[in-house]
Short mmCIF file of all heavy atoms in Angstrom, two decimals:
data_model
loop_
_atom_site.label_atom_id
_atom_site.label_comp_id
_atom_site.label_asym_id
_atom_site.label_seq_id
_atom_site.Cartn_x
_atom_site.Cartn_y
_atom_site.Cartn_z
N ALA A 1 125.26 -5.64 58.79
CA ALA A 1 125.16 -5.25 60.21
C ALA A 1 124.60 -3.81 60.25
O ALA A 1 123.80 -3.55 61.11
CB ALA A 1 126.61 -5.22 60.84
N SER A 2 124.97 -2.87 59.32
CA SER A 2 124.43 -1.57 59.38
C SER A 2 122.97 -1.58 59.03
O SER A 2 122.18 -0.80 59.60
CB SER A 2 125.24 -0.65 58.32
OG SER A 2 124.89 -0.99 56.98
N LYS A 3 122.50 -2.38 58.15
CA LYS A 3 121.13 -2.51 57.78
C LYS A 3 120.24 -3.15 58.90
O LYS A 3 119.10 -2.75 59.13
CB LYS A 3 120.93 -3.19 56.49
CG LYS A 3 121.55 -2.43 55.22
CD LYS A 3 120.97 -1.04 55.05
CE LYS A 3 121.50 -0.34 53.88
NZ LYS A 3 120.88 0.96 53.62
N HIS A 4 120.83 -4.22 59.56
CA HIS A 4 120.24 -4.75 60.74
C HIS A 4 120.03 -3.66 61.79
O HIS A 4 118.95 -3.62 62.46
CB HIS A 4 121.00 -5.96 61.15
CG HIS A 4 120.69 -7.24 60.55
ND1 HIS A 4 121.10 -7.47 59.29
CD2 HIS A 4 120.03 -8.33 60.97
CE1 HIS A 4 120.75 -8.79 58.98
NE2 HIS A 4 120.08 -9.26 60.01
N ALA A 5 121.03 -2.84 61.94
CA ALA A 5 120.99 -1.74 62.95
C ALA A 5 119.88 -0.79 62.60
O ALA A 5 119.15 -0.30 63.51
CB ALA A 5 122.35 -1.02 63.04
N LEU A 6 119.69 -0.46 61.33
CA LEU A 6 118.62 0.48 60.93
C LEU A 6 117.27 -0.15 61.16
O LEU A 6 116.33 0.46 61.63
CB LEU A 6 118.77 0.83 59.46
CG LEU A 6 119.92 1.80 59.07
CD1 LEU A 6 119.99 1.96 57.60
CD2 LEU A 6 119.78 3.10 59.77
N GLN A 7 117.11 -1.45 60.87
CA GLN A 7 115.86 -2.12 61.12
C GLN A 7 115.52 -2.08 62.57
O GLN A 7 114.33 -1.81 62.97
CB GLN A 7 115.97 -3.55 60.62
CG GLN A 7 116.08 -3.71 59.09
CD GLN A 7 114.70 -3.54 58.37
OE1 GLN A 7 114.52 -2.56 57.68
NE2 GLN A 7 113.85 -4.47 58.51
N GLY A 8 116.47 -2.41 63.44
CA GLY A 8 116.20 -2.42 64.78
C GLY A 8 115.91 -1.07 65.40
O GLY A 8 115.03 -0.88 66.20
N PHE A 9 116.65 -0.06 64.94
CA PHE A 9 116.39 1.30 65.38
C PHE A 9 114.99 1.78 65.01
O PHE A 9 114.25 2.26 65.90
CB PHE A 9 117.49 2.26 64.80
CG PHE A 9 117.23 3.70 65.18
CD1 PHE A 9 117.49 4.20 66.39
CD2 PHE A 9 116.55 4.46 64.17
CE1 PHE A 9 117.21 5.56 66.68
CE2 PHE A 9 116.31 5.88 64.43
CZ PHE A 9 116.60 6.37 65.74
N PHE A 10 114.67 1.72 63.71
CA PHE A 10 113.35 2.34 63.34
C PHE A 10 112.20 1.45 63.78
O PHE A 10 111.08 2.04 64.01
CB PHE A 10 113.38 2.50 61.80
CG PHE A 10 114.13 3.71 61.37
CD1 PHE A 10 115.45 3.54 60.76
CD2 PHE A 10 113.68 4.97 61.63
CE1 PHE A 10 116.17 4.69 60.45
CE2 PHE A 10 114.51 6.07 61.18
CZ PHE A 10 115.65 5.93 60.60
N ASN A 11 112.29 0.23 63.92
CA ASN A 11 111.26 -0.63 64.57
C ASN A 11 111.06 -0.25 65.98
O ASN A 11 109.92 -0.19 66.51
CB ASN A 11 111.51 -2.14 64.39
CG ASN A 11 111.30 -2.64 62.95
OD1 ASN A 11 110.56 -2.02 62.18
ND2 ASN A 11 111.98 -3.71 62.61
N SER A 12 112.11 0.11 66.62
CA SER A 12 111.98 0.51 68.05
C SER A 12 111.44 1.93 68.12
O SER A 12 110.59 2.27 69.02
CB SER A 12 113.36 0.49 68.71
OG SER A 12 113.92 -0.81 68.77
N LEU A 13 111.92 2.84 67.21
CA LEU A 13 111.47 4.18 67.21
C LEU A 13 109.92 4.26 67.02
O LEU A 13 109.26 5.00 67.60
CB LEU A 13 112.18 5.04 66.12
CG LEU A 13 111.78 6.49 65.91
CD1 LEU A 13 111.95 7.29 67.15
CD2 LEU A 13 112.46 7.09 64.73
N ARG A 14 109.47 3.37 66.10
CA ARG A 14 108.05 3.37 65.85
C ARG A 14 107.18 3.13 67.07
O ARG A 14 106.13 3.71 67.37
CB ARG A 14 107.68 2.23 64.83
CG ARG A 14 106.29 2.36 64.30
CD ARG A 14 105.89 1.17 63.40
NE ARG A 14 106.80 1.21 62.23
CZ ARG A 14 107.68 0.28 61.88
NH1 ARG A 14 108.03 -0.65 62.79
NH2 ARG A 14 108.39 0.41 60.78
N THR A 15 107.74 2.30 68.01
CA THR A 15 107.00 2.03 69.27
C THR A 15 107.05 3.24 70.28
O THR A 15 106.24 3.27 71.16
CB THR A 15 107.55 0.73 69.98
OG1 THR A 15 108.95 1.06 70.44
CG2 THR A 15 107.64 -0.40 69.08
N GLU A 16 108.01 4.06 69.98
CA GLU A 16 108.13 5.29 70.83
C GLU A 16 107.23 6.42 70.37
O GLU A 16 107.12 7.45 71.06
CB GLU A 16 109.53 5.76 70.94
CG GLU A 16 110.54 4.84 71.54
CD GLU A 16 111.94 5.37 71.69
OE1 GLU A 16 112.09 6.53 71.25
OE2 GLU A 16 112.84 4.63 72.09
N LEU A 17 106.56 6.27 69.24
CA LEU A 17 105.78 7.32 68.68
C LEU A 17 104.21 6.99 68.63
O LEU A 17 103.57 7.50 67.82
CB LEU A 17 106.24 7.62 67.17
CG LEU A 17 107.70 8.10 67.13
CD1 LEU A 17 108.10 8.19 65.67
CD2 LEU A 17 107.81 9.45 67.76
N THR A 18 103.87 6.15 69.64
CA THR A 18 102.42 5.71 69.55
C THR A 18 101.52 6.95 69.89
O THR A 18 100.32 6.91 69.54
CB THR A 18 102.23 4.62 70.55
OG1 THR A 18 102.67 5.08 71.87
CG2 THR A 18 102.82 3.39 70.08
N ASP A 19 102.00 7.94 70.47
CA ASP A 19 101.22 9.17 70.83
C ASP A 19 101.07 10.12 69.55
O ASP A 19 100.40 11.05 69.60
CB ASP A 19 101.77 9.96 72.00
CG ASP A 19 101.60 9.21 73.24
OD1 ASP A 19 100.71 8.38 73.35
OD2 ASP A 19 102.30 9.52 74.26
N TYR A 20 101.78 9.68 68.56
CA TYR A 20 101.78 10.45 67.28
C TYR A 20 101.39 9.59 66.08
O TYR A 20 102.16 9.21 65.22
CB TYR A 20 103.12 11.07 67.02
CG TYR A 20 103.63 11.96 68.13
CD1 TYR A 20 104.45 11.37 69.12
CD2 TYR A 20 103.30 13.33 68.25
CE1 TYR A 20 104.89 12.19 70.23
CE2 TYR A 20 103.68 14.04 69.33
CZ TYR A 20 104.55 13.48 70.33
OH TYR A 20 104.94 14.26 71.33
N PRO A 21 100.07 9.22 65.96
CA PRO A 21 99.65 8.26 64.99
C PRO A 21 99.83 8.72 63.54
O PRO A 21 99.81 7.88 62.65
CB PRO A 21 98.15 7.99 65.41
CG PRO A 21 97.75 9.20 66.14
CD PRO A 21 98.98 9.65 66.86
N GLU A 22 99.99 10.02 63.34
CA GLU A 22 100.16 10.54 61.97
C GLU A 22 101.66 10.71 61.57
O GLU A 22 101.92 11.27 60.59
CB GLU A 22 99.39 11.90 61.78
CG GLU A 22 97.90 11.68 61.90
CD GLU A 22 97.21 13.00 61.48
OE1 GLU A 22 97.43 13.48 60.36
OE2 GLU A 22 96.42 13.51 62.22
N ILE A 23 102.54 10.22 62.38
CA ILE A 23 103.94 10.14 62.05
C ILE A 23 104.20 8.67 61.71
O ILE A 23 104.15 7.79 62.55
CB ILE A 23 104.90 10.57 63.15
CG1 ILE A 23 104.61 12.04 63.48
CG2 ILE A 23 106.36 10.44 62.73
CD1 ILE A 23 105.53 12.59 64.60
N SER A 24 104.50 8.40 60.43
CA SER A 24 104.75 7.05 59.97
C SER A 24 106.19 6.67 59.86
O SER A 24 107.04 7.54 59.29
CB SER A 24 104.07 6.85 58.56
OG SER A 24 102.71 7.14 58.65
N ILE A 25 106.61 5.55 60.24
CA ILE A 25 107.97 5.03 60.16
C ILE A 25 107.92 3.88 59.17
O ILE A 25 107.26 2.90 59.34
CB ILE A 25 108.55 4.50 61.53
CG1 ILE A 25 108.53 5.70 62.54
CG2 ILE A 25 109.88 4.00 61.30
CD1 ILE A 25 109.34 6.84 62.23
N ILE A 26 108.56 4.08 58.03
CA ILE A 26 108.45 3.10 56.90
C ILE A 26 109.83 2.63 56.49
O ILE A 26 110.65 3.42 56.15
CB ILE A 26 107.74 3.85 55.70
CG1 ILE A 26 106.35 4.35 56.13
CG2 ILE A 26 107.69 2.93 54.43
CD1 ILE A 26 105.83 5.35 55.10
N ASN A 27 109.94 1.30 56.57
CA ASN A 27 111.30 0.67 56.19
C ASN A 27 111.07 0.01 54.75
O ASN A 27 110.23 -0.84 54.61
CB ASN A 27 111.69 -0.35 57.19
CG ASN A 27 111.97 0.26 58.55
OD1 ASN A 27 112.39 1.40 58.64
ND2 ASN A 27 111.90 -0.56 59.66
N ILE A 28 111.95 0.42 53.90
CA ILE A 28 111.93 -0.14 52.55
C ILE A 28 113.15 -1.10 52.40
O ILE A 28 114.27 -0.67 52.66
CB ILE A 28 112.07 0.97 51.48
CG1 ILE A 28 110.87 1.98 51.64
CG2 ILE A 28 112.08 0.36 50.11
CD1 ILE A 28 109.56 1.45 51.41
N CYS A 29 112.92 -2.31 51.97
CA CYS A 29 114.01 -3.33 51.93
C CYS A 29 114.12 -3.78 50.47
O CYS A 29 113.48 -4.77 50.09
CB CYS A 29 113.69 -4.51 52.82
SG CYS A 29 113.49 -4.07 54.57
N PRO A 30 114.93 -3.09 49.69
CA PRO A 30 115.13 -3.49 48.22
C PRO A 30 116.10 -4.74 48.24
O PRO A 30 116.95 -4.89 49.04
CB PRO A 30 115.72 -2.25 47.59
CG PRO A 30 115.53 -1.15 48.58
CD PRO A 30 115.58 -1.82 49.91
N GLY A 31 115.90 -5.50 47.20
CA GLY A 31 116.93 -6.48 46.84
C GLY A 31 117.88 -5.82 45.79
O GLY A 31 118.09 -4.59 45.87
N PRO A 32 118.49 -6.64 44.93
CA PRO A 32 119.39 -6.03 43.93
C PRO A 32 118.71 -5.08 42.94
O PRO A 32 117.70 -5.44 42.37
CB PRO A 32 119.96 -7.30 43.15
CG PRO A 32 119.73 -8.44 44.12
CD PRO A 32 118.52 -8.08 44.94
N VAL A 33 119.19 -3.85 42.95
CA VAL A 33 118.59 -2.82 42.08
C VAL A 33 119.73 -2.20 41.20
O VAL A 33 120.84 -2.04 41.69
CB VAL A 33 117.97 -1.72 42.98
CG1 VAL A 33 117.45 -0.57 42.00
CG2 VAL A 33 116.81 -2.25 43.79
N GLN A 34 119.40 -1.89 39.97
CA GLN A 34 120.41 -1.28 39.13
C GLN A 34 120.71 0.17 39.61
O GLN A 34 119.88 0.99 39.67
CB GLN A 34 119.82 -1.15 37.69
CG GLN A 34 119.61 -2.53 37.06
CD GLN A 34 118.93 -2.45 35.69
OE1 GLN A 34 118.72 -1.29 35.15
NE2 GLN A 34 118.56 -3.59 35.12
N SER A 35 121.98 0.32 40.07
CA SER A 35 122.42 1.61 40.52
C SER A 35 123.87 1.67 40.56
O SER A 35 124.55 0.66 40.23
CB SER A 35 121.86 1.95 42.00
OG SER A 35 122.59 1.09 42.95
N LYS A 36 124.51 2.76 40.94
CA LYS A 36 125.97 2.89 41.03
C LYS A 36 126.49 2.50 42.43
O LYS A 36 127.68 2.71 42.67
CB LYS A 36 126.32 4.35 40.68
CG LYS A 36 126.08 4.76 39.26
CD LYS A 36 126.64 6.13 39.01
CE LYS A 36 126.39 6.52 37.52
NZ LYS A 36 126.92 7.90 37.21
N ILE A 37 125.60 1.90 43.20
CA ILE A 37 126.15 1.54 44.57
C ILE A 37 127.22 0.56 44.50
O ILE A 37 128.16 0.51 45.31
CB ILE A 37 124.99 0.99 45.44
CG1 ILE A 37 125.38 0.87 46.94
CG2 ILE A 37 124.42 -0.31 44.86
CD1 ILE A 37 124.19 0.56 47.88
N ILE A 38 127.23 -0.39 43.48
CA ILE A 38 128.20 -1.42 43.39
C ILE A 38 129.57 -0.82 43.10
O ILE A 38 130.63 -1.25 43.45
CB ILE A 38 127.82 -2.42 42.36
CG1 ILE A 38 128.86 -3.65 42.45
CG2 ILE A 38 127.83 -1.88 40.93
CD1 ILE A 38 128.76 -4.44 43.72
N GLN A 39 129.60 0.32 42.28
CA GLN A 39 130.85 0.91 41.96
C GLN A 39 131.54 1.69 43.12
O GLN A 39 132.64 2.00 43.03
CB GLN A 39 130.71 1.94 40.79
CG GLN A 39 130.49 1.32 39.48
CD GLN A 39 129.02 1.27 39.07
OE1 GLN A 39 128.17 1.01 39.91
NE2 GLN A 39 128.66 1.40 37.79
N ASN A 40 130.74 1.90 44.13
CA ASN A 40 131.20 2.71 45.31
C ASN A 40 131.35 1.91 46.57
O ASN A 40 131.22 2.50 47.65
CB ASN A 40 130.39 3.96 45.50
CG ASN A 40 130.42 4.85 44.27
OD1 ASN A 40 131.32 5.47 43.95
ND2 ASN A 40 129.21 5.01 43.62
N VAL A 41 131.37 0.63 46.47
CA VAL A 41 131.36 -0.17 47.68
C VAL A 41 132.64 -0.09 48.44
O VAL A 41 133.71 0.22 47.94
CB VAL A 41 131.14 -1.71 47.38
CG1 VAL A 41 129.80 -1.98 46.65
CG2 VAL A 41 132.27 -2.21 46.46
N PHE A 42 132.46 -0.34 49.74
CA PHE A 42 133.71 -0.56 50.60
C PHE A 42 134.33 -1.80 50.32
O PHE A 42 133.72 -2.83 49.95
CB PHE A 42 133.30 -0.52 52.07
CG PHE A 42 133.04 0.83 52.66
CD1 PHE A 42 131.66 1.17 52.89
CD2 PHE A 42 133.92 1.72 53.05
CE1 PHE A 42 131.27 2.34 53.42
CE2 PHE A 42 133.61 2.97 53.53
CZ PHE A 42 132.30 3.27 53.78
N THR A 43 135.67 -1.87 50.38
CA THR A 43 136.44 -3.16 50.19
C THR A 43 137.27 -3.43 51.40
O THR A 43 136.91 -3.02 52.46
CB THR A 43 137.31 -3.05 48.89
OG1 THR A 43 138.27 -1.97 49.12
CG2 THR A 43 136.46 -2.78 47.74
N GLU A 44 138.40 -4.12 51.27
CA GLU A 44 139.25 -4.54 52.43
C GLU A 44 139.77 -3.36 53.23
O GLU A 44 140.01 -3.48 54.39
CB GLU A 44 140.36 -5.46 51.98
CG GLU A 44 139.96 -6.75 51.36
CD GLU A 44 139.95 -6.60 49.86
OE1 GLU A 44 139.23 -5.71 49.26
OE2 GLU A 44 140.61 -7.42 49.21
N ASN A 45 140.06 -2.27 52.51
CA ASN A 45 140.54 -1.12 53.22
C ASN A 45 139.93 0.23 52.66
O ASN A 45 139.38 0.11 51.46
CB ASN A 45 142.09 -1.07 53.27
CG ASN A 45 142.65 -0.92 51.79
OD1 ASN A 45 142.51 0.05 51.11
ND2 ASN A 45 143.29 -2.05 51.36
N LEU A 46 139.98 1.29 53.30
CA LEU A 46 139.27 2.46 52.88
C LEU A 46 139.76 3.08 51.62
O LEU A 46 139.15 3.80 50.88
CB LEU A 46 139.32 3.56 54.00
CG LEU A 46 138.69 3.10 55.33
CD1 LEU A 46 138.82 4.22 56.37
CD2 LEU A 46 137.06 2.95 55.04
#
């Protein structure tokens, strides 16, 4: 849900910046990557 929200926000923001063609909005969508993100995930409670 949070990543869908980011996608929607930045895709919308890009359309608001048409008067600034040299400002780029770039969305990177990685799949599984080796990192420590898995050790720090949210679970059932905080």
Side-chain angles (χ1 to χ4, degrees):
S2 70
K3 295 301 184 177
H4 275 71
L6 288 176
Q7 292 284 108
F9 173 80
F10 283 104
N11 285 337
S12 298
L13 178 60
R14 191 185 296 111
T15 67
E16 295 182 7
L17 297 173
T18 53
D19 289 337
Y20 304 92
E22 292 192 54
I23 298 179
S24 301
I25 303 296
I26 300 165
N27 293 335
I28 304 295
C29 301
V33 176
Q34 294 174 9
S35 75
K36 292 184 178 180
I37 191 171
I38 188 65
Q39 285 97 325
N40 298 298
V41 296
F42 286 103
T43 60
E44 298 96 302
N45 61 72
L46 295 176

